[in-house]
Amino acid sequence: MMRFGLTLALALAGGALFSAIGSPLPWLLGPMALAFAGSRLPKGRGFKPRWPSALRDAAMIAIGYSIGLTFTMDTLVEMGRQLPTMILMTALLLLFSALIAWTVAKLAGLPLPTVLMGSIPGGLSQMILLAEDTKGVDLTVVTFLQVTRLMMIIFFVPLLVFSPLFVSSFGAESAAAGTANAVNAADTAIAAGGDSAAMAAGTAGASGWAGWAGWANWGDWGDWGGLFPAILLFAVVCTGVAVLLKRIKFPSAYLLGPMIVTAALHLSGVHGPSLPAGVLDASQLSIGTYVGLLLRPEGLKNKVRIATLAVLSGAVLLAGSFGLCLLLTRLHPISPSTAFLSLAPGGMDQMGIIAKEIHADVAIVSCYQLFRTWFIFFAVPPLLRLLFRRLLPKGSVRREATE
């Protein structure tokens, strides 16, 4: 319990620090940074950070529920219209990732299967499971590459979307596209945390920084009072569906389960209340702390070379995603920020959080991220197994089913 308490204090300090310096998404980035720093302290200091996975799961349920509220019939129609584009963009992003993996493998002297599994964007848990079932693959390197990419995406995507690159150059276009989007900015802001959160988010969108607005809403009892009793139904249903899907090994059950069931209820006319901004900030803190504790470079050989190549490959992947974002804005009338978050090679929960902050089209972002997630979970492992039969010695790839 003491380890958890100290980790929580560290995460809160990180959120406060990043708020004070005006960072975007301070309650996601701050806890992640300080949790990672705390985990690197010498063992002799007697402190080893600990963050229960149950708290991360609860945060995922809250984020999934909040994303589910943004879906409308219009967005589903738009999803169907953009399905061919989703397939194209996912294929291009994965091909670009494979090219990066081939380059890193050559430069680092690592086996291509190891680097390839470490470079697939958005498939952290699935790639680790596949690596465990594949002889000749270095699980430590796979985990390090995946977590390094994830942490880079979580750090640098907010900096990019809040930068003049999007705010100034694309500000007018984003506003025009936001008006035409199926989920308008007001609905998205309300889904993010009520009327007062919408005002705070609007201010943050204009200035680029969220500051302390989210935590200030903990004292807004009007937001909390509006939760009951309707939230009880959604809390029970979302949690039950998440647990059930987890038992049948459904991918990202604690995020996708609540998102899907909330969207289904919302579309059928059962409307759920928006979550106060403080709840979403607490969810960000939980997810950020959990991710910050994932990276463990001590087991690596040639740490400096592999770490340098991991950072460079993450930067190149981000640049490639930006290029695809420009292509997507030519194919469909969506804002550059929505396009970039749709194609950013991170997790759907983090991209959904950022999309809410900047009033991007959360539903479109979630759909692109969801499609890539499902493609990676269901289509990529069989393709990699087929490839590894050619690249690895016979019998290296076991045939066990993955999650």
Side-chain angles (χ1 to χ4, degrees), residues 90-120:
T90 298
L92 290 175
L93 186 61
L94 292 178
L95 286 174
F96 189 63
S97 301
L99 178 61
I100 294 174
W102 180 83
T103 305
V104 170
K106 290 291 185 183
L107 294 175
L110 294 170
L112 178 58
T114 294
V115 182
L116 191 58
M117 279 194 283
S119 302
I120 299 294

PDB file of all heavy atoms in Angstrom, residues 90-120:
ATOM      1  N   THR A  90      -4.549   2.190 -43.300  1.00  0.00           N
ATOM      2  CA  THR A  90      -3.976   1.177 -42.408  1.00  0.00           C
ATOM      3  C   THR A  90      -2.890   0.393 -43.123  1.00  0.00           C
ATOM      4  O   THR A  90      -1.806   0.147 -42.570  1.00  0.00           O
ATOM      5  CB  THR A  90      -5.079   0.227 -41.906  1.00  0.00           C
ATOM      6  OG1 THR A  90      -6.043   0.969 -41.159  1.00  0.00           O
ATOM      7  CG2 THR A  90      -4.493  -0.854 -41.014  1.00  0.00           C
ATOM      8  N   ALA A  91      -3.152   0.003 -44.370  1.00  0.00           N
ATOM      9  CA  ALA A  91      -2.159  -0.754 -45.136  1.00  0.00           C
ATOM     10  C   ALA A  91      -0.900   0.075 -45.372  1.00  0.00           C
ATOM     11  O   ALA A  91       0.230  -0.428 -45.206  1.00  0.00           O
ATOM     12  CB  ALA A  91      -2.761  -1.193 -46.467  1.00  0.00           C
ATOM     13  N   LEU A  92      -1.061   1.349 -45.730  1.00  0.00           N
ATOM     14  CA  LEU A  92       0.096   2.204 -45.978  1.00  0.00           C
ATOM     15  C   LEU A  92       0.917   2.416 -44.708  1.00  0.00           C
ATOM     16  O   LEU A  92       2.160   2.391 -44.738  1.00  0.00           O
ATOM     17  CB  LEU A  92      -0.355   3.550 -46.535  1.00  0.00           C
ATOM     18  CG  LEU A  92      -0.908   3.545 -47.972  1.00  0.00           C
ATOM     19  CD1 LEU A  92      -1.420   4.932 -48.350  1.00  0.00           C
ATOM     20  CD2 LEU A  92       0.150   3.075 -48.962  1.00  0.00           C
ATOM     21  N   LEU A  93       0.234   2.616 -43.572  1.00  0.00           N
ATOM     22  CA  LEU A  93       0.940   2.827 -42.314  1.00  0.00           C
ATOM     23  C   LEU A  93       1.720   1.580 -41.901  1.00  0.00           C
ATOM     24  O   LEU A  93       2.877   1.665 -41.451  1.00  0.00           O
ATOM     25  CB  LEU A  93      -0.049   3.220 -41.217  1.00  0.00           C
ATOM     26  CG  LEU A  93       0.556   3.616 -39.862  1.00  0.00           C
ATOM     27  CD1 LEU A  93       1.453   4.843 -40.017  1.00  0.00           C
ATOM     28  CD2 LEU A  93      -0.537   3.896 -38.836  1.00  0.00           C
ATOM     29  N   LEU A  94       1.119   0.408 -42.082  1.00  0.00           N
ATOM     30  CA  LEU A  94       1.801  -0.830 -41.724  1.00  0.00           C
ATOM     31  C   LEU A  94       2.978  -1.121 -42.659  1.00  0.00           C
ATOM     32  O   LEU A  94       4.026  -1.605 -42.214  1.00  0.00           O
ATOM     33  CB  LEU A  94       0.810  -1.995 -41.733  1.00  0.00           C
ATOM     34  CG  LEU A  94      -0.258  -1.961 -40.627  1.00  0.00           C
ATOM     35  CD1 LEU A  94      -1.209  -3.142 -40.767  1.00  0.00           C
ATOM     36  CD2 LEU A  94       0.385  -1.970 -39.248  1.00  0.00           C
ATOM     37  N   LEU A  95       2.817  -0.814 -43.945  1.00  0.00           N
ATOM     38  CA  LEU A  95       3.932  -0.988 -44.879  1.00  0.00           C
ATOM     39  C   LEU A  95       5.086  -0.045 -44.537  1.00  0.00           C
ATOM     40  O   LEU A  95       6.258  -0.425 -44.602  1.00  0.00           O
ATOM     41  CB  LEU A  95       3.451  -0.749 -46.315  1.00  0.00           C
ATOM     42  CG  LEU A  95       2.587  -1.855 -46.933  1.00  0.00           C
ATOM     43  CD1 LEU A  95       2.053  -1.410 -48.296  1.00  0.00           C
ATOM     44  CD2 LEU A  95       3.373  -3.156 -47.069  1.00  0.00           C
ATOM     45  N   PHE A  96       4.754   1.173 -44.158  1.00  0.00           N
ATOM     46  CA  PHE A  96       5.783   2.134 -43.765  1.00  0.00           C
ATOM     47  C   PHE A  96       6.491   1.661 -42.497  1.00  0.00           C
ATOM     48  O   PHE A  96       7.722   1.775 -42.373  1.00  0.00           O
ATOM     49  CB  PHE A  96       5.140   3.505 -43.549  1.00  0.00           C
ATOM     50  CG  PHE A  96       6.126   4.617 -43.343  1.00  0.00           C
ATOM     51  CD1 PHE A  96       7.021   4.962 -44.345  1.00  0.00           C
ATOM     52  CD2 PHE A  96       6.155   5.330 -42.153  1.00  0.00           C
ATOM     53  CE1 PHE A  96       7.939   6.001 -44.160  1.00  0.00           C
ATOM     54  CE2 PHE A  96       7.060   6.358 -41.964  1.00  0.00           C
ATOM     55  CZ  PHE A  96       7.954   6.690 -42.969  1.00  0.00           C
ATOM     56  N   SER A  97       5.728   1.091 -41.563  1.00  0.00           N
ATOM     57  CA  SER A  97       6.317   0.554 -40.331  1.00  0.00           C
ATOM     58  C   SER A  97       7.260  -0.602 -40.645  1.00  0.00           C
ATOM     59  O   SER A  97       8.327  -0.735 -40.028  1.00  0.00           O
ATOM     60  CB  SER A  97       5.219   0.080 -39.380  1.00  0.00           C
ATOM     61  OG  SER A  97       4.348   1.128 -39.044  1.00  0.00           O
ATOM     62  N   ALA A  98       6.878  -1.448 -41.598  1.00  0.00           N
ATOM     63  CA  ALA A  98       7.731  -2.573 -41.980  1.00  0.00           C
ATOM     64  C   ALA A  98       9.039  -2.081 -42.603  1.00  0.00           C
ATOM     65  O   ALA A  98      10.110  -2.654 -42.351  1.00  0.00           O
ATOM     66  CB  ALA A  98       6.990  -3.478 -42.961  1.00  0.00           C
ATOM     67  N   LEU A  99       8.964  -1.027 -43.397  1.00  0.00           N
ATOM     68  CA  LEU A  99      10.174  -0.448 -43.991  1.00  0.00           C
ATOM     69  C   LEU A  99      11.098   0.111 -42.910  1.00  0.00           C
ATOM     70  O   LEU A  99      12.328  -0.078 -42.956  1.00  0.00           O
ATOM     71  CB  LEU A  99       9.789   0.650 -44.980  1.00  0.00           C
ATOM     72  CG  LEU A  99      10.944   1.393 -45.672  1.00  0.00           C
ATOM     73  CD1 LEU A  99      11.787   0.414 -46.489  1.00  0.00           C
ATOM     74  CD2 LEU A  99      10.407   2.506 -46.562  1.00  0.00           C
ATOM     75  N   ILE A 100      10.520   0.783 -41.928  1.00  0.00           N
ATOM     76  CA  ILE A 100      11.310   1.294 -40.806  1.00  0.00           C
ATOM     77  C   ILE A 100      11.956   0.134 -40.048  1.00  0.00           C
ATOM     78  O   ILE A 100      13.136   0.188 -39.678  1.00  0.00           O
ATOM     79  CB  ILE A 100      10.422   2.130 -39.861  1.00  0.00           C
ATOM     80  CG1 ILE A 100       9.949   3.401 -40.569  1.00  0.00           C
ATOM     81  CG2 ILE A 100      11.173   2.476 -38.581  1.00  0.00           C
ATOM     82  CD1 ILE A 100       8.959   4.211 -39.760  1.00  0.00           C
ATOM     83  N   ALA A 101      11.201  -0.940 -39.815  1.00  0.00           N
ATOM     84  CA  ALA A 101      11.726  -2.106 -39.100  1.00  0.00           C
ATOM     85  C   ALA A 101      12.902  -2.720 -39.855  1.00  0.00           C
ATOM     86  O   ALA A 101      13.919  -3.108 -39.242  1.00  0.00           O
ATOM     87  CB  ALA A 101      10.617  -3.143 -38.905  1.00  0.00           C
ATOM     88  N   TRP A 102      12.794  -2.829 -41.162  1.00  0.00           N
ATOM     89  CA  TRP A 102      13.881  -3.399 -41.963  1.00  0.00           C
ATOM     90  C   TRP A 102      15.144  -2.536 -41.834  1.00  0.00           C
ATOM     91  O   TRP A 102      16.254  -3.058 -41.675  1.00  0.00           O
ATOM     92  CB  TRP A 102      13.449  -3.482 -43.428  1.00  0.00           C
ATOM     93  CG  TRP A 102      14.501  -4.056 -44.341  1.00  0.00           C
ATOM     94  CD1 TRP A 102      14.769  -5.368 -44.566  1.00  0.00           C
ATOM     95  CD2 TRP A 102      15.428  -3.306 -45.138  1.00  0.00           C
ATOM     96  NE1 TRP A 102      15.816  -5.508 -45.463  1.00  0.00           N
ATOM     97  CE2 TRP A 102      16.234  -4.250 -45.828  1.00  0.00           C
ATOM     98  CE3 TRP A 102      15.646  -1.946 -45.346  1.00  0.00           C
ATOM     99  CZ2 TRP A 102      17.240  -3.860 -46.703  1.00  0.00           C
ATOM    100  CZ3 TRP A 102      16.652  -1.558 -46.207  1.00  0.00           C
ATOM    101  CH2 TRP A 102      17.434  -2.507 -46.880  1.00  0.00           C
ATOM    102  N   THR A 103      14.981  -1.209 -41.860  1.00  0.00           N
ATOM    103  CA  THR A 103      16.116  -0.303 -41.734  1.00  0.00           C
ATOM    104  C   THR A 103      16.764  -0.418 -40.354  1.00  0.00           C
ATOM    105  O   THR A 103      17.996  -0.488 -40.229  1.00  0.00           O
ATOM    106  CB  THR A 103      15.672   1.149 -41.979  1.00  0.00           C
ATOM    107  OG1 THR A 103      15.030   1.233 -43.257  1.00  0.00           O
ATOM    108  CG2 THR A 103      16.850   2.096 -41.941  1.00  0.00           C
ATOM    109  N   VAL A 104      15.938  -0.421 -39.292  1.00  0.00           N
ATOM    110  CA  VAL A 104      16.463  -0.523 -37.931  1.00  0.00           C
ATOM    111  C   VAL A 104      17.176  -1.859 -37.728  1.00  0.00           C
ATOM    112  O   VAL A 104      18.242  -1.919 -37.099  1.00  0.00           O
ATOM    113  CB  VAL A 104      15.322  -0.353 -36.908  1.00  0.00           C
ATOM    114  CG1 VAL A 104      15.794  -0.686 -35.497  1.00  0.00           C
ATOM    115  CG2 VAL A 104      14.770   1.065 -36.951  1.00  0.00           C
ATOM    116  N   ALA A 105      16.616  -2.936 -38.271  1.00  0.00           N
ATOM    117  CA  ALA A 105      17.245  -4.253 -38.136  1.00  0.00           C
ATOM    118  C   ALA A 105      18.630  -4.258 -38.768  1.00  0.00           C
ATOM    119  O   ALA A 105      19.587  -4.843 -38.217  1.00  0.00           O
ATOM    120  CB  ALA A 105      16.361  -5.316 -38.769  1.00  0.00           C
ATOM    121  N   LYS A 106      18.763  -3.606 -39.921  1.00  0.00           N
ATOM    122  CA  LYS A 106      20.059  -3.543 -40.594  1.00  0.00           C
ATOM    123  C   LYS A 106      21.057  -2.715 -39.781  1.00  0.00           C
ATOM    124  O   LYS A 106      22.220  -3.102 -39.619  1.00  0.00           O
ATOM    125  CB  LYS A 106      19.889  -2.923 -41.983  1.00  0.00           C
ATOM    126  CG  LYS A 106      19.157  -3.814 -42.980  1.00  0.00           C
ATOM    127  CD  LYS A 106      19.994  -5.023 -43.351  1.00  0.00           C
ATOM    128  CE  LYS A 106      19.309  -5.852 -44.433  1.00  0.00           C
ATOM    129  NZ  LYS A 106      20.097  -7.080 -44.757  1.00  0.00           N
ATOM    130  N   LEU A 107      20.629  -1.577 -39.283  1.00  0.00           N
ATOM    131  CA  LEU A 107      21.524  -0.683 -38.563  1.00  0.00           C
ATOM    132  C   LEU A 107      21.908  -1.218 -37.188  1.00  0.00           C
ATOM    133  O   LEU A 107      23.034  -1.009 -36.723  1.00  0.00           O
ATOM    134  CB  LEU A 107      20.876   0.697 -38.408  1.00  0.00           C
ATOM    135  CG  LEU A 107      20.655   1.495 -39.705  1.00  0.00           C
ATOM    136  CD1 LEU A 107      19.905   2.784 -39.408  1.00  0.00           C
ATOM    137  CD2 LEU A 107      21.985   1.798 -40.381  1.00  0.00           C
ATOM    138  N   ALA A 108      20.961  -1.882 -36.510  1.00  0.00           N
ATOM    139  CA  ALA A 108      21.216  -2.371 -35.150  1.00  0.00           C
ATOM    140  C   ALA A 108      21.769  -3.781 -35.113  1.00  0.00           C
ATOM    141  O   ALA A 108      22.199  -4.251 -34.051  1.00  0.00           O
ATOM    142  CB  ALA A 108      19.921  -2.310 -34.336  1.00  0.00           C
ATOM    143  N   GLY A 109      21.748  -4.482 -36.264  1.00  0.00           N
ATOM    144  CA  GLY A 109      22.215  -5.863 -36.277  1.00  0.00           C
ATOM    145  C   GLY A 109      21.291  -6.803 -35.534  1.00  0.00           C
ATOM    146  O   GLY A 109      21.741  -7.811 -34.972  1.00  0.00           O
ATOM    147  N   LEU A 110      20.010  -6.493 -35.527  1.00  0.00           N
ATOM    148  CA  LEU A 110      19.018  -7.319 -34.844  1.00  0.00           C
ATOM    149  C   LEU A 110      18.230  -8.133 -35.855  1.00  0.00           C
ATOM    150  O   LEU A 110      18.098  -7.735 -37.016  1.00  0.00           O
ATOM    151  CB  LEU A 110      18.042  -6.437 -34.047  1.00  0.00           C
ATOM    152  CG  LEU A 110      18.631  -5.667 -32.860  1.00  0.00           C
ATOM    153  CD1 LEU A 110      17.613  -4.659 -32.336  1.00  0.00           C
ATOM    154  CD2 LEU A 110      19.047  -6.625 -31.749  1.00  0.00           C
ATOM    155  N   PRO A 111      17.669  -9.271 -35.430  1.00  0.00           N
ATOM    156  CA  PRO A 111      16.843 -10.061 -36.353  1.00  0.00           C
ATOM    157  C   PRO A 111      15.614  -9.272 -36.797  1.00  0.00           C
ATOM    158  O   PRO A 111      14.970  -8.598 -35.985  1.00  0.00           O
ATOM    159  CB  PRO A 111      16.437 -11.282 -35.516  1.00  0.00           C
ATOM    160  CG  PRO A 111      17.432 -11.341 -34.397  1.00  0.00           C
ATOM    161  CD  PRO A 111      17.809  -9.919 -34.120  1.00  0.00           C
ATOM    162  N   LEU A 112      15.278  -9.368 -38.080  1.00  0.00           N
ATOM    163  CA  LEU A 112      14.120  -8.638 -38.605  1.00  0.00           C
ATOM    164  C   LEU A 112      12.823  -9.006 -37.887  1.00  0.00           C
ATOM    165  O   LEU A 112      12.025  -8.111 -37.588  1.00  0.00           O
ATOM    166  CB  LEU A 112      13.987  -8.879 -40.107  1.00  0.00           C
ATOM    167  CG  LEU A 112      12.788  -8.208 -40.791  1.00  0.00           C
ATOM    168  CD1 LEU A 112      12.812  -6.696 -40.585  1.00  0.00           C
ATOM    169  CD2 LEU A 112      12.752  -8.547 -42.283  1.00  0.00           C
ATOM    170  N   PRO A 113      12.543 -10.288 -37.589  1.00  0.00           N
ATOM    171  CA  PRO A 113      11.286 -10.606 -36.882  1.00  0.00           C
ATOM    172  C   PRO A 113      11.157  -9.881 -35.543  1.00  0.00           C
ATOM    173  O   PRO A 113      10.068  -9.420 -35.183  1.00  0.00           O
ATOM    174  CB  PRO A 113      11.358 -12.123 -36.686  1.00  0.00           C
ATOM    175  CG  PRO A 113      12.223 -12.595 -37.800  1.00  0.00           C
ATOM    176  CD  PRO A 113      13.261 -11.516 -37.969  1.00  0.00           C
ATOM    177  N   THR A 114      12.266  -9.750 -34.799  1.00  0.00           N
ATOM    178  CA  THR A 114      12.223  -9.047 -33.510  1.00  0.00           C
ATOM    179  C   THR A 114      11.857  -7.585 -33.699  1.00  0.00           C
ATOM    180  O   THR A 114      10.963  -7.055 -33.019  1.00  0.00           O
ATOM    181  CB  THR A 114      13.594  -9.155 -32.809  1.00  0.00           C
ATOM    182  OG1 THR A 114      13.842 -10.515 -32.466  1.00  0.00           O
ATOM    183  CG2 THR A 114      13.617  -8.314 -31.541  1.00  0.00           C
ATOM    184  N   VAL A 115      12.532  -6.918 -34.632  1.00  0.00           N
ATOM    185  CA  VAL A 115      12.283  -5.494 -34.845  1.00  0.00           C
ATOM    186  C   VAL A 115      10.906  -5.272 -35.458  1.00  0.00           C
ATOM    187  O   VAL A 115      10.220  -4.300 -35.140  1.00  0.00           O
ATOM    188  CB  VAL A 115      13.376  -4.880 -35.742  1.00  0.00           C
ATOM    189  CG1 VAL A 115      13.149  -3.383 -35.913  1.00  0.00           C
ATOM    190  CG2 VAL A 115      14.751  -5.137 -35.158  1.00  0.00           C
ATOM    191  N   LEU A 116      10.486  -6.181 -36.330  1.00  0.00           N
ATOM    192  CA  LEU A 116       9.175  -6.038 -36.963  1.00  0.00           C
ATOM    193  C   LEU A 116       8.058  -6.087 -35.929  1.00  0.00           C
ATOM    194  O   LEU A 116       7.135  -5.260 -35.950  1.00  0.00           O
ATOM    195  CB  LEU A 116       8.983  -7.143 -38.003  1.00  0.00           C
ATOM    196  CG  LEU A 116       7.787  -7.009 -38.949  1.00  0.00           C
ATOM    197  CD1 LEU A 116       7.849  -5.704 -39.727  1.00  0.00           C
ATOM    198  CD2 LEU A 116       7.741  -8.196 -39.897  1.00  0.00           C
ATOM    199  N   MET A 117       8.144  -7.026 -35.009  1.00  0.00           N
ATOM    200  CA  MET A 117       7.113  -7.104 -33.963  1.00  0.00           C
ATOM    201  C   MET A 117       7.186  -5.919 -33.013  1.00  0.00           C
ATOM    202  O   MET A 117       6.181  -5.538 -32.404  1.00  0.00           O
ATOM    203  CB  MET A 117       7.229  -8.419 -33.204  1.00  0.00           C
ATOM    204  CG  MET A 117       6.590  -9.578 -33.933  1.00  0.00           C
ATOM    205  SD  MET A 117       6.371 -11.044 -32.900  1.00  0.00           S
ATOM    206  CE  MET A 117       8.026 -11.658 -32.879  1.00  0.00           C
ATOM    207  N   GLY A 118       8.358  -5.323 -32.886  1.00  0.00           N
ATOM    208  CA  GLY A 118       8.492  -4.147 -32.040  1.00  0.00           C
ATOM    209  C   GLY A 118       8.075  -2.866 -32.718  1.00  0.00           C
ATOM    210  O   GLY A 118       7.975  -1.824 -32.064  1.00  0.00           O
ATOM    211  N   SER A 119       7.797  -2.926 -34.025  1.00  0.00           N
ATOM    212  CA  SER A 119       7.504  -1.713 -34.787  1.00  0.00           C
ATOM    213  C   SER A 119       6.060  -1.609 -35.246  1.00  0.00           C
ATOM    214  O   SER A 119       5.663  -0.571 -35.783  1.00  0.00           O
ATOM    215  CB  SER A 119       8.418  -1.646 -36.026  1.00  0.00           C
ATOM    216  OG  SER A 119       9.773  -1.671 -35.651  1.00  0.00           O
ATOM    217  N   ILE A 120       5.257  -2.661 -35.083  1.00  0.00           N
ATOM    218  CA  ILE A 120       3.852  -2.607 -35.501  1.00  0.00           C
ATOM    219  C   ILE A 120       3.111  -1.598 -34.632  1.00  0.00           C
ATOM    220  O   ILE A 120       3.062  -1.744 -33.407  1.00  0.00           O
ATOM    221  CB  ILE A 120       3.181  -3.992 -35.386  1.00  0.00           C
ATOM    222  CG1 ILE A 120       3.875  -5.001 -36.297  1.00  0.00           C
ATOM    223  CG2 ILE A 120       1.703  -3.902 -35.710  1.00  0.00           C
ATOM    224  CD1 ILE A 120       3.746  -4.718 -37.761  1.00  0.00           C
TER     225      ILE A 120
END
